[in-house]
Amino acid sequence: MMSVLKASRLLRIFVVEDHPDTLQALCLYLKYVGHTVQSAGTKEEALKKIPQRHNDVLISDIGLPDGTGWDLIREIGDSRPQFAIAMSGYGTAADLERSTQAGFRHHLIKPVSLEKLAAVLDEAVMEMHER
C-alpha cells in the first residue's frame, strides 16, 4: 500500500495539462498533500494566468493543443517559477534534452508515480528553504 506524504512546506504550484481527467487528478492530489494549486488547460491560458501569480513550481505537459510546454516555458520568460517540471508521454533522450534546454528542471514520463512526483516536489521544497 502506498503512503501519501504530506508536504513539509506548502508550495504554490501551477499545472498546465490539456487532458481534463489528468488535470483534475493531479490537482486533487497536490491539494490533498497541502499545496496551493492553480491550473490551465492550454498554453495561451497559462500565459495569461502565470504572470499574475507568484508560483514556486510549474508542472507542464509538453503536448498542448496550442503549442508545447517547451514554447510555454520560453514565452513565460522572467515570470516563470524557479522550479519547472515537464510531465509528458514524450520520453526519448531528445525530448529530455529539449526539456532541459528549455529550462525544465525535471522531465517526468507519464504515467508518473506519486512517489516520483513527491520526490521531485521534495527537492523543490528543499530549494525554497535555501532561499
Side-chain angles (χ1 to χ4, degrees):
M1 178 173 200
M2 179 189 69
S3 64
V4 178
L5 303 173
K6 288 286 187 178
S8 58
R9 179 182 180 275
L10 300 181
L11 295 169
R12 293 166 304 201
I13 302 173
F14 197 96
V15 178
V16 186
E17 170 62 59
D18 66 321
H19 186 266
D21 292 341
T22 302
L23 178 62
Q24 181 181 21
L26 183 56
C27 290
L28 283 173
Y29 168 73
L30 294 170
K31 289 175 184 177
Y32 176 76
V33 296
H35 300 297
T36 301
V37 182
Q38 298 290 324
S39 65
T42 66
K43 182 183 78 146
E44 287 306 314
E45 182 183 3
L47 286 170
K48 290 176 186 170
K49 289 182 175 181
I50 288 174
Q52 300 169 6
R53 313 260 187 316
H54 298 286
N55 297 290
D56 301 310
V57 176
L58 168 67
I59 299 174
S60 181
D61 191 6
I62 296 300
L64 298 169
D66 57 348
T68 67
W70 300 313
D71 297 333
L72 171 66
I73 197 168
R74 285 188 191 103
E75 291 176 35
I76 294 170
D78 293 339
S79 297
R80 80 170 194 213
Q82 291 278 316
F83 202 96
I85 303 163
M87 188 178 289
S88 178
Y90 301 151
T92 67
D95 295 328
L96 275 65
E97 177 61 26
R98 192 166 177 193
S99 290
T100 300
Q101 292 300 317
F104 285 102
R105 186 76 56 88
H106 292 277
H107 182 116
L108 304 178
I109 301 168
K110 292 178 182 177
V112 176
S113 74
L114 294 181
E115 290 86 357
K116 178 67 176 171
L117 179 58
V120 171
L121 292 175
D122 284 346
E123 182 182 327
V125 167
M126 295 299 292
E127 186 174 299
M128 299 303 140
H129 279 296
E130 292 174 3
R131 288 193 208 166

